[in-house]
Amino acid sequence: MKKSKPGARKPSPAQAKPNPATKRSAVRKKAADEIVPVRSDASRAMLSEVRARIDGIDQTIQELIAERAEKARQVGKAKGAAKAAIDYYRPEREAQVLRRVVDRNEGPLTDEVLVRVFREIMSACLAQQEPLKVGYLGPEGTFSQQAVYKHFGHSAHGLPLTTIEEVFQEVESGAADFGVVPVENSGQGTIQSTLDMFLTSPLKICGEVELRVHQYLLSRTGHIEDVERVYAHAQSLAQCKTWLRQHLPQAEKQSLASNAEAARRARNADDSAAIAGKSAAHVYGLKVIAGPIEDRPDNTTRFLVVGRELFPPSGNDRTSVLVYVKDKPGALFNVLRPLAEHGLSMNRIESRPAHQGLWRYAFFIDFGGHVEDEAVQAALKEIARDASEIKILGSYPCAIL
Ligand SMILES: O=C(O)C(=O)C[C@]1(C(=O)O)C=C[C@@H](O)C=C1
């Protein structure tokens, strides 16, 4: 007979003959032990020591944030008798602060995470005066709303508007301090309607935001078998074309003004789904069927921040101009040559009908530098000699992450 260990109790008849229920609960206990391991006294002491240290660090961080907020308030006062948040806002300074955060970073947190944290701190410091009002293509839950918070932080007050035109109008009228509008997607190219607004609007470009766009298929039931119709903005349908062809070849595809509008419609019918960002699932009470479903994993949308004035250089800027060329040989070459000769690197050129007579074109050109830079001023002077008109749309800090 086997000797039992000292102190071991004699097995009860029930234990002697293990029944399946006991076995199951033993398995459950093992799993629970793996998740919450029983700690030794030494590791418990270490845990509370580290937590005490974290408490101390949190207190220091909090004191420093309060001190920083106070200093930001002093800077605000030094700016004079300003009346609104926009009078305190300095995008060039914010870009410099965030670039320094990136330069200093040695981990373990990523640049993206640290930039987000510091963006929120600056956003809160600025909102001490009054939050910025920022118009975007709504309703809530759109990627434009995400771009607003990425650029201005969550202390800004987002104003959901129904069209890109309305975003421009609200900023022009002063009802919003800034507007955020999509301008191009890495896979789908330019959003023409945004570019065309600059042909007539007096607004300036004050910033750019790059947003990694992840698309999800959302519905009320959460079952792909129920889906007979897919709603989305035309750009989102295009970004998910391959996935839709493979998984929902029979479903009707319907484009709407925004993905959030699509989510709103999908909320009302079991046989409909929407393509939208994950946050729309939360906002509209939908379930995620699948995602990310965009065809390209690096799918990124670039947004422009529009405002009523230009800001000084940040040290790493981009300038956007609109050039109307004369109808003569080499006209475009004469626009581009000065940029090259003054060492300005051109990132983008786009031609659009000028809305000034038949077959006349305007060129939207983006290049590195700020209008206050000598090289940029010299190049623009030379371009102006050959162009029939040149309009400076803005000089603004290059997107930070
Ligand atoms: O440096 C300034 O001009 C400030 O107002 C301070 C501060 C900041 O918190 O760092 C706040 C808001 C501005 O947009 C830029 C920077």
Side-chain angles (χ1 to χ4, degrees):
M1 200 189 143
K2 252 184 168 182
K3 253 179 103 183
S4 56
K5 278 189 197 164
R9 275 201 278 134
K10 207 176 159 218
S12 67
Q15 281 169 322
K17 188 173 172 278
N19 72 28
T22 322
K23 248 174 143 178
R24 266 201 306 276
S25 76
V27 169
R28 263 204 303 272
K29 181 166 185 321
K30 185 165 178 272
D33 283 352
E34 274 161 13
I35 298 164
V36 186
V38 177
R39 294 195 178 88
S40 66
D41 286 350
S43 73
R44 257 200 299 270
M46 205 268 270
L47 187 71
S48 56
E49 193 183 308
V50 177
R51 281 190 177 153
R53 177 84 187 106
I54 288 177
D55 288 341
I57 294 170
D58 286 349
Q59 188 178 339
T60 309
I61 292 174
Q62 198 172 337
E63 283 163 11
L64 289 175
I65 289 177
E67 191 183 336
R68 191 190 190 287
E70 188 44 45
K71 295 286 172 235
R73 202 199 285 267
Q74 283 172 20
V75 176
K77 272 202 193 129
K79 286 174 191 166
K83 289 168 242 46
I86 191 169
D87 301 320
Y88 299 98
Y89 179 61
R90 296 290 184 274
E92 73 286 3
R93 169 68 184 157
E94 295 200 356
Q96 289 161 354
V97 169
L98 296 178
R99 277 184 214 129
R100 247 174 239 145
V101 167
V102 172
D103 288 347
R104 276 195 301 257
N105 186 22
E106 291 180 349
L109 299 180
T110 62
D111 291 346
E112 282 82 0
V113 169
L114 281 180
V115 163
R116 209 160 61 214
V117 169
F118 276 83
R119 174 70 82 193
E120 289 301 335
I121 292 174
M122 280 193 289
S123 175
C125 286
L126 179 68
Q128 290 180 103
Q129 331 289 335
E130 194 198 330
L132 284 174
K133 294 190 284 292
V134 187
Y136 66 92
L137 183 60
E140 278 186 76
T142 55
F143 291 118
S144 295
Q145 186 190 31
Q146 282 183 35
V148 168
Y149 292 131
K150 182 173 179 193
H151 192 76
F152 290 98
H154 284 74
S155 296
H157 180 58
L159 303 171
L161 301 168
T162 47
T163 59
I164 287 175
E165 286 83 347
E166 209 188 330
V167 174
F168 274 76
Q169 280 162 13
E170 292 294 283
V171 181
E172 281 171 28
S173 73
D177 298 316
F178 294 97
V180 170
V181 287
V183 69
E184 62 179 319
N185 174 265
S186 55
Q188 301 304 309
T190 302
I191 294 147
Q192 312 287 7
S193 50
T194 297
L195 276 195
D196 287 351
M197 289 303 301
F198 290 103
L199 293 168
T200 48
S201 172
L203 292 187
K204 302 288 176 208
I205 304 172
C206 313
E208 61 174 6
V209 195
E210 284 181 6
L211 192 77
R212 283 295 281 272
V213 169
H214 298 300
Q215 306 277 16
Y216 291 79
L217 187 73
L218 314 172
S219 80
R220 194 158 79 176
T221 68
H223 301 305
I224 197 163
E225 311 80 61
D226 299 338
V227 179
E228 288 177 11
R229 196 173 304 101
V230 179
Y231 296 117
H233 188 274
Q235 283 261 341
S236 300
L237 285 172
Q239 287 166 24
C240 305
K241 210 156 60 194
T242 310
W243 192 93
L244 288 171
R245 202 180 314 124
Q246 281 167 0
H247 296 89
L248 287 168
Q250 312 295 347
E252 179 197 337
K253 322 289 182 305
Q254 239 192 69
S255 67
L256 296 175
S258 73
N259 288 343
E261 176 56 32
R264 222 156 39 184
R265 291 243 194 142
R267 191 169 55 176
N268 299 327
D270 280 352
D271 63 353
S272 301
I275 296 176
K278 215 177 193 173
S279 62
H282 178 68
V283 174
Y284 297 96
L286 296 171
K287 294 192 179 117
V288 174
I289 298 178
I293 60 165
E294 64 273 11
D295 298 336
R296 295 171 58 106
D298 59 353
N299 190 23
T300 301
T301 297
R302 180 169 168 255
F303 295 82
L304 295 177
V305 178
V306 292
R308 293 181 293 276
E309 58 173 307
L310 285 172
F311 291 92
S314 74
N316 182 19
D317 303 281
R318 200 187 311 286
T319 293
S320 298
V321 293
L322 181 56
V323 184
Y324 296 85
V325 293
K326 291 175 186 157
D327 188 11
K328 65 173 196 180
L332 179 58
F333 176 73
N334 290 338
V335 169
L336 301 184
R337 198 197 38 196
L339 294 178
E341 282 179 359
H342 290 278
L344 303 171
S345 109
M346 190 187 73
N347 321 93
R348 203 160 82 101
I349 179 159
E350 192 94 26
S351 98
R352 295 289 299 147
H355 299 180
Q356 291 186 353
L358 197 58
W359 310 128
R360 294 208 53 213
Y361 289 91
F363 290 92
F364 287 89
I365 304 171
D366 288 354
F367 55 88
H370 191 281
V371 275
E372 290 184 17
D373 297 347
E374 260 176 46
V376 173
Q377 289 190 356
L380 290 178
K381 211 181 269 174
E382 286 170 36
I383 293 171
R385 253 187 253 140
D386 266 288
S388 58
E389 190 186 333
I390 178 162
K391 183 175 172 188
I392 293 163
L393 301 181
S395 284
Y396 47 93
C398 294
I400 296 168
L401 299 170

